[in-house]
Amino acid sequence: LISSTGLVHEALKLPNAENLPKAEFNDMPITVGFGTDLIHTAQDGSLTCDDKITQAVDAGYRLIDTATKYESEADVGRALKDAMSRGMKREDFYVVTKVWVNDMGYSSAIESVEKSLRRLQLDYVDLVLIHWPGPAPGKPEAQQFGWENKAKRTLTWRALEEMVRRGKVKSIGVANWTIRHLKETLSIAEISPTVNQVEMHPYYTRDRLLDFSNNHGIKLMGYSPFGRGRLNIINDPVMGEIGEKYGKSGAQVILKWMVQRGVVPLPRASSENRIKQNYDIFDFDLTPEEVKTIDALNGDKRSCSIDCHSIP
């Protein structure tokens, strides 16, 4: 293009799905992860979060998901320290944590990761995510204009990239990002996101997001795989029929469906029996027809009260 001054300018190239970068390094295993949100230590000491994590480790879990917001990082650190004292190695585990909305920004995000490392008693974290693309609309701290959120997302991403360069973090990603948010981050990333953690279950299959992510080297982690109990998914007749065939529960069928889609499910459980049951899904496979049958249950029903699409 030739301007009025006679200077030649190249046409502005806007990012699109075809020319966005793709993550070159993504070592997150596709397995069942152990979610630590809402698992808190009881005041009388009868239930401790680190005890539940230890039970999960003993049941076979190696991917542990925590976050600053969950207030479970110290529990994860104690449980991992106990596991390593019993002969396991740091590299046996894949540890995920997150930067909370209030810590978004460059220096604040770096400080957040440093604090997480201290609470976890680790030299590095396998994966750090930005927990949300911004405050939810209606919250006191919600940004009125989209550019404010975008600026904070960019600064936070630059901070996470810096932590990768320092060797404190192996991979970086996001949580609750829509395709719109992912395109934005991919367009400015020097280190591409490897993971997006979102709500996913048979009533909210996120097909478009999964396809976009697969095309850009981004793996999905799915929280609330049972719809937080509000949607009664595990008792859906489809789950019961398939489960009866394999001698599995409705919950196990859902977790297997997610793994076969290439998604890491993050079930929560407080009972030792349920912790073991949720991991016991690797001795059977759903047929392609069964996967499609579960896919067809989608109704775009969220169990989370916050719609990430509403965050500018």
Side-chain angles (χ1 to χ4, degrees), residues 82-117:
D82 171 74
M84 288 185 274
S85 74
R86 294 185 286 132
M88 299 195 72
K89 299 178 181 179
R90 168 64 183 92
E91 53 267 30
D92 293 332
F93 296 98
Y94 193 92
V95 182
V96 184
T97 193
K98 307 175 191 73
V99 173
W100 183 238
V101 172
N102 295 352
D103 294 322
M104 289 178 72
Y106 188 81
S107 59
S108 53
I110 286 179
E111 183 179 359
S112 174
V113 176
E114 293 284 8
K115 287 181 177 178
S116 292
L117 287 167

Side-chain angles (χ1 to χ4, degrees), residues 248-296:
K248 296 293 182 179
S249 69
Q252 289 171 310
V253 171
I254 291 170
L255 298 175
K256 187 66 178 187
W257 166 77
M258 293 180 73
V259 168
Q260 286 189 214
R261 297 181 97 213
V263 177
V264 172
L266 295 170
R268 292 194 310 261
S270 294
S271 75
E272 186 172 8
N273 182 60
R274 185 60 62 84
I275 289 172
K276 290 179 179 178
Q277 187 184 78
N278 285 344
Y279 195 75
D280 184 23
I281 67 162
F282 298 103
D283 57 352
F284 77 107
D285 289 304
L286 302 175
T287 66
E289 292 73 22
E290 289 165 342
V291 171
K292 290 179 181 178
T293 298
I294 298 174
D295 288 345

Side-chain angles (χ1 to χ4, degrees), residues 202-205 233 236 238-239 292-300:
Y203 292 176
Y204 195 29
T205 58
I233 306 172
D236 187 287
V238 169
M239 258 44 88
K292 290 179 181 178
T293 298
I294 298 174
D295 288 345
L297 296 174
N298 179 54
D300 290 334

Side-chain angles (χ1 to χ4, degrees), residues 199-206 257 261 297-303 307-309:
E199 178 180 353
M200 182 184 288
H201 45 72
Y203 292 176
Y204 195 29
T205 58
R206 315 299 294 270
W257 166 77
R261 297 181 97 213
L297 296 174
N298 179 54
D300 290 334
K301 297 179 181 178
R302 290 182 292 107
S303 64
D307 182 5
C308 51
H309 294 84

Side-chain angles (χ1 to χ4, degrees), residues 3-23:
S3 69
S4 58
T5 60
L7 296 176
V8 177
H9 299 282
E10 289 188 7
L12 179 64
K13 294 181 179 179
L14 297 176
N16 58 52
E18 285 67 43
N19 63 28
L20 289 173
K22 185 172 182 177

Side-chain angles (χ1 to χ4, degrees), residues 62-248:
R62 295 296 178 265
L63 191 156
I64 310 297
D65 179 73
T66 183
T68 298
K69 182 65 173 178
Y70 301 166
E71 298 182 353
S72 60
E73 290 174 319
D75 299 277
V76 172
R78 287 191 295 270
L80 293 180
K81 192 172 183 179
D82 171 74
M84 288 185 274
S85 74
R86 294 185 286 132
M88 299 195 72
K89 299 178 181 179
R90 168 64 183 92
E91 53 267 30
D92 293 332
F93 296 98
Y94 193 92
V95 182
V96 184
T97 193
K98 307 175 191 73
V99 173
W100 183 238
V101 172
N102 295 352
D103 294 322
M104 289 178 72
Y106 188 81
S107 59
S108 53
I110 286 179
E111 183 179 359
S112 174
V113 176
E114 293 284 8
K115 287 181 177 178
S116 292
L117 287 167
R118 290 195 290 271
R119 287 189 289 263
L120 289 163
Q121 302 181 64
L122 297 175
D123 295 326
Y124 71 91
V125 180
D126 296 277
L127 175 66
V128 174
L129 310 176
I130 306 176
H131 209 144
W132 284 90
K139 298 286 185 180
E141 66 275 19
Q143 304 296 330
Q144 182 178 359
F145 304 107
W147 62 264
E148 295 177 86
N149 278 340
K150 182 174 181 180
K152 280 201 168 185
R153 286 192 289 265
T154 299
L155 288 170
T156 307
W157 194 254
R158 292 287 179 254
L160 297 191
E161 290 175 329
E162 174 60 21
M163 295 308 279
V164 171
R165 296 185 182 100
R166 293 183 188 181
K168 302 285 188 177
V169 177
K170 290 181 68 176
S171 293
I172 52 179
V174 295
N176 302 295
W177 250 236
T178 65
I179 292 176
R180 168 174 56 86
H181 296 124
L182 285 175
K183 286 182 177 179
E184 174 193 292
T185 300
L186 286 166
S187 70
I188 59 92
E190 295 174 6
I191 299 175
S192 297
T194 59
V195 172
N196 185 15
Q197 185 179 127
V198 296
E199 178 180 353
M200 182 184 288
H201 45 72
Y203 292 176
Y204 195 29
T205 58
R206 315 299 294 270
D207 292 342
R208 288 184 60 249
L209 180 64
L210 181 59
D211 288 343
F212 180 89
S213 300
N214 286 338
N215 289 334
H216 292 88
I218 300 170
K219 295 177 183 177
L220 294 187
M221 304 177 82
Y223 65 79
S224 299
F226 311 136
R228 304 185 185 216
R230 300 170 186 166
L231 303 178
N232 201 28
I233 306 172
I234 60 175
N235 294 317
D236 187 287
V238 169
M239 258 44 88
E241 182 178 342
I242 296 175
E244 185 176 1
K245 173 183 174 181
Y246 296 105
K248 296 293 182 179

